[in-house]
Amino acid sequence: MAHDDTSGTDVAAFSSGADGVSNSAGRAVEPSAASGGLAVITSDALADPGVPPHRKRVTDLDPKKARTAQRTVYTLFYLSIAGSIFAVAAYMAFPINADDPGSVRLNTVFLGLGITLALMGIGIGAVHWAKSLMHDEEGVDIRHPVRSSDDTRARAVEIFHEGNVESGIGRRSLIRNSLIGALVAFPLPAVILFRGLGPQNENPAELLSHTMWKAGARLTLDPSGLPIKAADVTIGSAFHIIPEGLNDAHDRLEQKAKAAVLLMRVNPSDLNVSAGRENWNYDGIVAYSKICTHVGCPVALFEQQTHHLLCPCHQSTFDVDNECAVIFGPAKRALPQLPITVDGEGYLIAQSDFLEPVGPSFWERS
């Protein structure tokens, strides 16, 4: 027969009262129809602390303090405008010279100071405006899990109107206008910076379609500029190549970004040469643009066993045996091939420039 451990003297520990049942611990016990037993409800629950009394700010109590705060806010917005203008002026006053590392430092420092001032002016001004001048009453927003009704939508319009009144943006014209001015001026440094990335007075499509390579130009080692002979290129080897005279060019970095080449040698029988390119390689030595056709990263990894070129940025892979066709990755176009041969002294030379634009596709290319 089953035995109930809670029967007998254990149950007797509870004593009944007039309004309910209480135990020796002093907790109120009420019958529960749902559980068929007794529900214990503690009598020492925490009370709702409520919302502390609202403390008015000095700007709420003293109109003079409010005017001072207003002047501070629009002064910060005006400083933001000044910072944006300073950044544009610094970009023009301290141009970057590729041959002078100090010019890069000056341009970066003054440009950064201007942009920092523009951002801090807007940020600190907006925070100070909200903390000192905007409406400061606490409110409770009860959200309903249903779609808003037409009345609720109408109320939303009213809330926007109330926000306008409480923030004072409609009547504090100096703050409003200075903020608008700061927001209008802030993007200007970005516009100037992005414009400076491209050529200033020349057609970019024309510039990207031609490099320093030309007929008879010797292939030289990067960065020494020493010419290389075909006999120096063994099967399985790879060399980073630049055109002869590039190191003496005044725009050396810009030219190198377009003319850099990777030179390799494979067994001539492994090459699958298309019609018209039969004489573009010399005894298995091939030269391809080092600039990836995806976004222009340097393709600098050559796998000797597979004859693959790998771009380390986004893993585009090109097959050297098949004229550097894309076999993997986001690139959509094969690497341009540089036609090469040798001169009378055995040095490798270019037959011409690339016959197609190098690097990633751009808006002028069809």
Side-chain angles (χ1 to χ4, degrees):
M1 180 175 180
H3 175 67
D4 186 357
D5 292 335
T6 61
S7 62
T9 57
D10 294 334
V11 176
F14 295 92
S15 60
S16 61
D19 296 329
V21 179
S22 62
N23 63 8
S24 58
R27 292 181 294 180
V29 182
E30 296 180 354
S32 173
S35 62
L38 298 176
V40 179
I41 303 175
T42 60
S43 59
D44 57 349
L46 293 176
D48 184 355
V51 179
H54 177 69
R55 296 178 57 187
K56 290 190 176 183
R57 303 165 299 188
V58 293
T59 51
D60 297 328
L61 301 172
D62 187 351
K64 184 177 179 180
K65 296 289 186 180
R67 289 193 295 271
T68 301
Q70 178 177 333
R71 286 194 294 269
T72 301
V73 172
Y74 66 68
T75 300
L76 286 167
F77 289 155
Y78 285 139
L79 284 176
S80 174
I81 298 174
S84 298
I85 296 174
F86 178 82
V88 175
Y91 181 79
M92 298 178 179
F94 301 97
I96 294 178
N97 185 350
D99 297 324
D100 181 15
S103 66
V104 179
R105 187 181 304 109
L106 286 175
N107 182 277
T108 303
V109 168
F110 287 110
L111 190 63
L113 287 175
I115 295 176
T116 299
L117 183 61
L119 277 172
M120 289 183 63
I122 292 178
I124 298 176
V127 171
H128 190 57
W129 180 10
K131 284 185 171 294
S132 61
L133 295 173
M134 288 187 181
H135 189 67
D136 192 37
E137 293 292 337
E138 293 82 6
V140 178
D141 182 16
I142 301 176
R143 300 185 179 182
H144 303 280
V146 295
R147 182 181 181 275
S148 300
S149 64
D150 292 338
D151 292 339
T152 303
R153 295 182 179 183
R155 176 57 183 154
V157 175
E158 295 178 7
I159 291 174
F160 276 106
H161 177 69
E162 291 173 1
N164 175 40
V165 174
E166 293 172 358
S167 66
I169 193 171
R171 58 188 176 86
R172 300 184 189 275
S173 58
L174 281 174
I175 288 182
R176 181 187 66 245
N177 296 338
S178 60
L179 173 61
I180 293 174
L183 293 176
V184 169
F186 174 70
L188 293 179
V191 173
I192 299 299
L193 282 174
F194 284 120
R195 180 63 186 92
L197 294 177
Q200 302 298 313
N201 302 311
E202 299 178 82
N203 182 2
E206 180 66 19
L207 291 175
L208 294 172
S209 298
H210 300 285
T211 70
M212 280 189 64
W213 291 109
K214 59 183 180 180
R218 284 183 172 178
L219 279 68
T220 62
L221 296 173
D222 181 20
S224 66
L226 296 175
I228 184 171
K229 290 186 175 182
D232 298 331
V233 185
T234 58
I235 291 181
S237 61
F239 295 89
H240 300 272
I241 299 297
I242 55 177
E244 183 180 21
L246 183 141
N247 286 336
D248 298 327
H250 69 281
D251 55 348
R252 176 175 59 88
L253 294 180
E254 289 81 359
Q255 293 298 333
K256 184 176 181 180
K258 298 187 296 180
V261 163
L262 203 60
L263 184 75
M264 299 140 291
R265 188 169 198 164
V266 298
N267 194 319
S269 61
D270 293 335
L271 295 176
N272 298 314
V273 181
S274 60
R277 294 193 178 190
E278 293 86 356
N279 65 339
W280 284 24
N281 70 86
Y282 180 80
D283 195 22
I285 302 176
V286 290
Y288 286 95
S289 172
K290 189 178 174 181
I291 312 304
C292 183
T293 55
H294 178 218
V295 291
C297 297
V299 181
L301 303 176
F302 175 56
E303 299 177 349
Q304 292 181 336
Q305 301 300 321
T306 61
H307 297 172
H308 292 167
L309 288 177
L310 176 66
C311 177
C313 292
H314 306 100
Q315 286 71 56
S316 292
T317 307
F318 306 88
D319 187 1
V320 175
D321 292 343
N322 292 284
E323 298 175 345
C324 274
V326 181
I327 58 175
F328 181 79
K332 301 299 182 183
R333 191 167 57 93
L335 294 174
Q337 183 176 0
L338 180 69
I340 60 172
T341 185
V342 294
D343 60 14
E345 300 179 33
Y347 289 102
L348 290 167
I349 60 173
Q351 298 185 40
S352 65
D353 195 359
F354 292 102
L355 299 185
E356 60 178 307
V358 299
S361 300
F362 56 94
W363 66 95
E364 294 285 348
R365 184 179 301 166
S366 59

